Amino acid sequence: MHFADLQEADAFLAAHPGVQSFELFIIDPCGVPRGKLLRREELRAVYREGRPLPSSILGLTIRGEDVDATGLVWDVADADCRAFPLPGSLRLQTWRATPTAQLQVSMHPQLGLPASIADPRHVLARQVERLKADGYHPVMAAELEFYLLDQARDAEGRPQPARQANGLRPQAPQVYGVLELEQLAPFLDDLYAACAAQGLPARTAISEYAPGQVEITLEHRADALQAMDEAVRYKRLVRGVAQRHGYQACFMAKPFGELAGSGLHMHVSLADAQGHNLFASEVDELLGAPPSGAAARLRQAIGGLLATLEEGLAVFCPNANSFRRFQANSYAPLARSWGVNNRTVSLRVPGGPAASRHIEHRICGADANPYLAAALLLAGLHRGLREELDPGAPIEGNGYAQAREVLPTDWLSALRGLQASSWAREALGEDFQRIYLAIKQEEYRQFMAEVGEQDWRWYLGHA
């Protein structure tokens, strides 16, 4: 694990004498940034000695409640664990009214114990190293969809799409609408400026398939860990810029039952040590029989991802709401399936030149933890390569109509699948799997115990 050195802090302090506050954060297993707000005079000590954080910070539910069953609370006396800054993460938060910077930290593998076993970034780092040991260098990118909502609810207390610059609230999907992007120009201008200030490779913006839904792509990175670092910082940035404009950025997988869900599409290929794409192949090579070389590697990687898809579903879809996204003809996949240039399948191989050939993993909701999703994705394709797994024939045409092996679409089944999986235990690490399940099982218990508006509307006068 490589941490930043003191020179990074000294250079930043010299270049930004007006910055007095520094937001220090770590990403927990639920994908939530948690940390502290430091003053200027505290920064150098973080780089020299690390910052003590309680062990319980990585054993919380998504609501920020202790989960005793993780073993990170009273069993270890909520011990202080040392976290250190990640290189390149010390950046300005341009959306803050007061000059403020941020730095992301990760638990030290030894000084961070016992909490370091629950650090999701370590889980991904281990998978990257395992692939590199076999000569594979993962290249990754993330696409995150989100909704821009008003901070105020509608008359019925429901979230609602934010008003555009023209004062109107969008009512229709207007997918790929350029007028919709023009109406968001003040927000998008600030978002791109903030990304530039933080070194995040934000690229194409799209008006997605629902009123107020947006997608902005991030560029592929030859370092998978860097790509996911950028994905988690991007989510933090989008929320901050949205708040500055009076919006709320929503990364729920399915915030509205009648509208499109929001996904985290993961793009992955493998390179050799010289950076050559090991999946580079023409489409006819990929579909030919028998495939060989790069086409065979790509098919085997897809085979591994298909074989492990259900076992990782509780990570790809980590919340109760995640499973509401799986509906036919919704651009969210329903089955273990793959295809070429086909958006109705779980694993899509985009078209384009052979040198750009890669896999688009379309299962994750936007609520997934990018580190954990990427870790299981890489573990799955690695298994496919080691075992030379055959993915079967690709889907041609409407994958929804051809779905035969439908994925489990409920949270409890996914959690049980993760718990029973020896593959996931090895990929995540036994300790991390235990902690993650303890958190999610507690969330499941609380969620199912809560009685809400839907229960009253369905059953109050009829049951």
Side-chain angles (χ1 to χ4, degrees):
M1 184 66 67
H2 178 54
F3 296 110
D5 57 37
L6 184 58
Q7 291 179 338
E8 181 176 292
D10 287 338
F12 187 93
L13 291 170
H16 303 281
V19 175
Q20 297 297 319
S21 296
F22 294 81
E23 181 185 272
L24 176 149
F25 71 90
I26 190 169
I27 300 297
D28 78 1
C30 292
V32 177
R34 302 192 186 275
K36 302 180 177 183
L37 191 65
L38 309 181
R39 300 302 291 170
R40 184 181 180 90
E41 55 270 19
E42 298 178 273
L43 183 67
R44 298 184 81 250
V46 177
Y47 280 78
R48 287 196 311 265
E49 304 146 15
R51 182 74 185 194
L53 296 173
S55 57
S56 59
I57 200 171
L58 294 184
L60 303 172
T61 68
I62 199 166
R63 289 159 50 88
E65 302 158 313
D66 286 338
V67 180
D68 292 350
T70 62
L72 295 176
V73 191
W74 310 124
D75 291 354
V76 293
D78 201 10
D80 273 344
C81 307
R82 293 272 167 179
F84 287 78
L86 300 178
S89 69
L90 181 56
R91 300 280 184 163
L92 287 173
Q93 292 183 331
T94 59
W95 59 89
R96 300 286 284 259
T98 302
T100 304
Q102 70 178 38
L103 67 155
Q104 184 181 350
V105 298
S106 181
M107 288 293 174
H108 191 282
Q110 289 79 42
L111 301 178
L113 289 171
S116 59
I117 62 174
D119 189 332
R121 192 175 187 272
H122 289 231
V123 178
L124 175 56
R126 287 195 297 270
Q127 289 303 324
V128 171
E129 290 307 311
R130 289 173 185 175
L131 279 163
K132 287 183 177 179
D134 284 350
Y136 302 121
H137 297 256
V139 177
M140 295 195 71
E143 287 181 13
L144 274 160
E145 298 166 338
F146 61 93
Y147 277 84
L148 281 178
L149 307 177
D150 260 349
Q151 292 183 355
R153 303 290 181 88
D154 68 12
E156 297 179 354
R158 288 164 46 93
Q160 56 186 339
R163 293 187 186 277
Q164 301 173 136
N166 60 9
L168 301 177
R169 202 180 306 283
Q171 300 295 322
Q174 294 296 359
V175 64
Y176 298 112
V178 292
L179 176 60
E180 283 62 35
L181 294 178
E182 290 175 10
Q183 291 299 319
L184 291 176
F187 166 76
L188 292 174
D189 288 347
D190 276 0
L191 188 147
Y192 279 114
C195 285
Q198 294 208 352
L200 301 181
R203 296 296 181 259
T204 305
I206 301 169
S207 175
E208 266 292 348
Y209 199 66
Q213 192 183 35
V214 180
E215 177 189 272
I216 296 175
T217 60
L218 297 174
E219 191 173 88
H220 285 74
R221 294 298 200 187
D223 181 342
L225 204 54
Q226 178 188 2
M228 296 306 111
D229 284 340
E230 291 173 347
V232 300
R233 293 170 200 165
Y234 170 75
K235 286 184 75 171
R236 176 72 186 90
L237 179 152
V238 171
R239 287 193 170 104
V241 175
Q243 185 173 3
R244 178 175 179 176
H245 284 262
Y247 306 145
Q248 180 179 15
C250 173
F251 289 92
M252 284 177 64
K254 189 72 170 177
F256 303 102
E258 70 279 11
L259 299 177
S262 292
L264 165 61
H265 295 167
M266 312 279 280
H267 295 254
V268 62
S269 60
L270 296 177
D272 62 18
Q274 290 73 44
H276 302 122
N277 184 0
L278 294 173
F279 289 166
S281 53
E282 299 293 347
V283 169
D284 57 355
E285 295 177 306
L286 183 62
L287 302 178
S292 60
R297 277 191 294 271
L298 179 52
R299 286 180 60 98
Q300 290 165 8
I302 293 169
L305 290 173
L306 291 176
T308 56
L309 195 54
E310 291 186 26
E311 295 170 74
L313 203 58
V315 167
F316 302 140
C317 306
N319 304 307
N321 178 261
S322 309
F323 294 89
R324 299 191 190 278
R325 179 170 156 263
F326 295 118
Q327 299 179 16
N329 305 317
S330 66
Y331 293 102
L334 291 176
R336 292 194 309 117
S337 57
W338 77 283
V340 178
N341 199 17
N342 189 331
R343 286 187 169 87
T344 69
V345 297
S346 299
L347 304 174
R348 171 178 175 254
V349 178
S356 70
R357 196 71 63 230
H358 67 278
I359 302 167
E360 180 186 16
H361 184 279
R362 297 173 58 82
I363 288 290
C364 299
D367 54 347
N369 183 326
Y371 291 128
L372 299 181
L376 287 195
L377 186 161
L378 294 180
L381 65 82
H382 200 181
R383 175 179 170 181
L385 291 166
R386 289 197 311 266
E387 299 179 15
E388 299 183 356
L389 298 180
D390 180 7
I395 293 291
E396 296 183 15
N398 186 349
Y400 296 113
Q402 301 176 57
R404 290 182 297 274
E405 299 179 59
V406 177
L407 293 169
T409 54
D410 70 279
W411 198 11
L412 182 58
S413 295
L415 290 172
R416 287 173 173 169
L418 181 68
Q419 187 170 30
S421 172
S422 58
W423 166 80
R425 188 173 304 116
E426 195 276 336
L428 295 171
E430 184 173 358
D431 287 330
F432 187 91
Q433 184 197 42
R434 173 183 57 79
I435 289 167
Y436 183 81
L437 282 167
I439 292 169
K440 291 301 172 182
Q441 287 165 348
E442 175 60 20
E443 289 179 0
Y444 176 83
R445 184 193 67 78
Q446 291 186 19
F447 188 90
M448 294 304 295
E450 185 172 320
V451 177
E453 188 271 340
Q454 184 178 13
D455 294 75
W456 300 324
R457 180 162 44 82
W458 277 51
Y459 305 119
L460 188 62
H462 306 287

